[in-house]
Amino acid sequence: MINLKGKTAIITGSGRGIGKAVALRLVSLGVNVVVNGTVGSNSADITAEEIISAGGEAISVKCDISKYAETEELIKKTLDKYGSIDILINNAGITKDNLIMRMNESDFDDVIATNLKGAFNCTKAVCRSMMKQRGGAIVNMTSVVGVMGNAGQANYAASKAGMIGLTKSTAKEFASRGITCNAIAPGFTKSDMTDKLPDNIREDYLKAIPLGKFAETEDIADAVVFLVSDMAKYITGQVLHVDGGLVM
């Protein structure tokens, strides 16, 4: 029996996609959720309102996680509202795909800044609170691309591979304080992006997946629930592939 009632979770990039699915799943288990999105987008506000309308507890806090001062403010607002932070899901990510020879320096820097530095910033900003309460669970959303690479995604693959190293280092540094840190590596997941792929490309991707189908965002959310629950209290520094067998 999973018991997360009354815990508080910050989920970056949770206005849509996998992050939103994680937020909705955690709320269904009684978790107070901080929905995070970027300034200039109203997706985080909409998700938080959806949760509240359904009887859940949530607030929306928008910030640029690539800037440490803004992640500190994210943590402060969460503590002011709920008093503690038990779960951090570093999910926010962007893509700016291109072949290496055509990739602009800014496209590389922007992806690293959001995906990798953003995860570092949030982890650093939350660690004192978690260490003080001697407990917490951090989950970093990496990708199969961070494990196997992908042509046209050198920046994204590098950021996601970096998150795996960050996960293992965080796990080693915080284990003595009862804090776990693990990563989830989703494979191809149903989303607006995969829906727009040409049929022949979709078929090629599907052929590479032993289970023969794309993941649902809920599949990723279920894996998150496991890793932040007491069922995984003796698991840290691991990368859980939720990819239908794509990477074996």
Side-chain angles (χ1 to χ4, degrees):
M1 181 76 176
I2 295 175
N3 182 14
L4 296 174
K5 189 172 179 60
K7 291 185 179 291
T8 297
I10 295 174
I11 309 158
T12 66
S14 46
R16 57 187 176 82
I18 290 174
K20 180 176 181 177
V22 171
L24 295 177
R25 186 74 173 91
L26 290 178
V27 164
S28 74
L29 295 169
V31 177
N32 307 317
V33 167
V34 177
V35 183
N36 165 257
T38 56
V39 177
S41 170
N42 63 352
S43 60
D45 294 333
I46 292 172
T47 296
E49 289 168 6
E50 181 180 330
I51 290 169
I52 294 167
S53 297
E57 176 60 43
I59 59 171
S60 170
V61 180
K62 290 182 280 190
C63 70
D64 181 352
I65 61 169
S66 71
K67 295 179 171 59
Y68 182 67
E70 295 195 27
T71 62
E72 281 190 308
E73 190 63 20
L74 169 63
I75 301 307
K76 182 180 183 302
K77 287 180 178 178
T78 302
L79 290 173
D80 287 346
K81 174 67 174 178
Y82 296 115
S84 68
I85 301 168
D86 307 287
I87 298 164
L88 169 65
I89 313 297
N90 285 313
N91 167 77
I94 62 171
T95 58
K96 292 192 174 184
D97 298 348
N98 216 329
L99 297 174
I100 291 173
M101 66 183 296
R102 297 174 183 166
M103 185 176 291
N104 296 326
E105 184 179 3
S106 61
D107 290 342
F108 186 89
D109 290 346
D110 289 348
V111 170
I112 296 294
T114 296
N115 300 8
L116 181 55
K117 187 185 175 189
F120 165 80
N121 284 344
C122 291
T123 300
K124 178 177 170 62
V126 83
C127 70
R128 290 188 185 278
S129 173
M130 285 189 174
M131 290 171 75
K132 185 176 180 180
Q133 69 194 26
R134 302 192 70 82
I138 300 170
V139 177
N140 293 326
M141 204 64 67
T142 180
S143 167
V144 293
V145 171
V147 178
M148 65 183 189
N150 197 30
Q153 288 193 307
N155 49 3
Y156 186 74
S159 72
K160 294 302 185 177
M163 287 184 79
I164 293 174
L166 176 64
T167 297
K168 293 178 181 292
S169 296
T170 301
K172 289 185 175 181
E173 287 192 26
F174 297 164
S176 65
R177 298 300 181 96
I179 302 166
T180 62
C181 183
N182 293 287
I184 292 175
F188 294 107
T189 305
K190 284 185 181 178
S191 65
D192 293 342
M193 181 181 72
T194 54
D195 288 343
K196 293 175 183 176
L197 290 172
D199 289 342
N200 62 317
I201 300 296
R202 285 173 57 87
E203 287 302 315
D204 287 343
Y205 283 150
L206 285 171
K207 287 176 184 176
I209 302 171
L211 286 182
K213 59 183 179 179
F214 291 134
E216 303 283 351
T217 54
E218 290 77 12
D219 295 324
I220 316 303
D222 286 342
V224 170
V225 169
F226 167 67
L227 287 176
V228 303
S229 74
D230 283 345
M231 289 193 298
K233 64 180 180 293
Y234 199 61
I235 299 173
T236 195
Q238 303 304 305
V239 181
L240 177 58
H241 290 252
V242 186
D243 62 4
L246 178 63
V247 178
M248 292 189 187

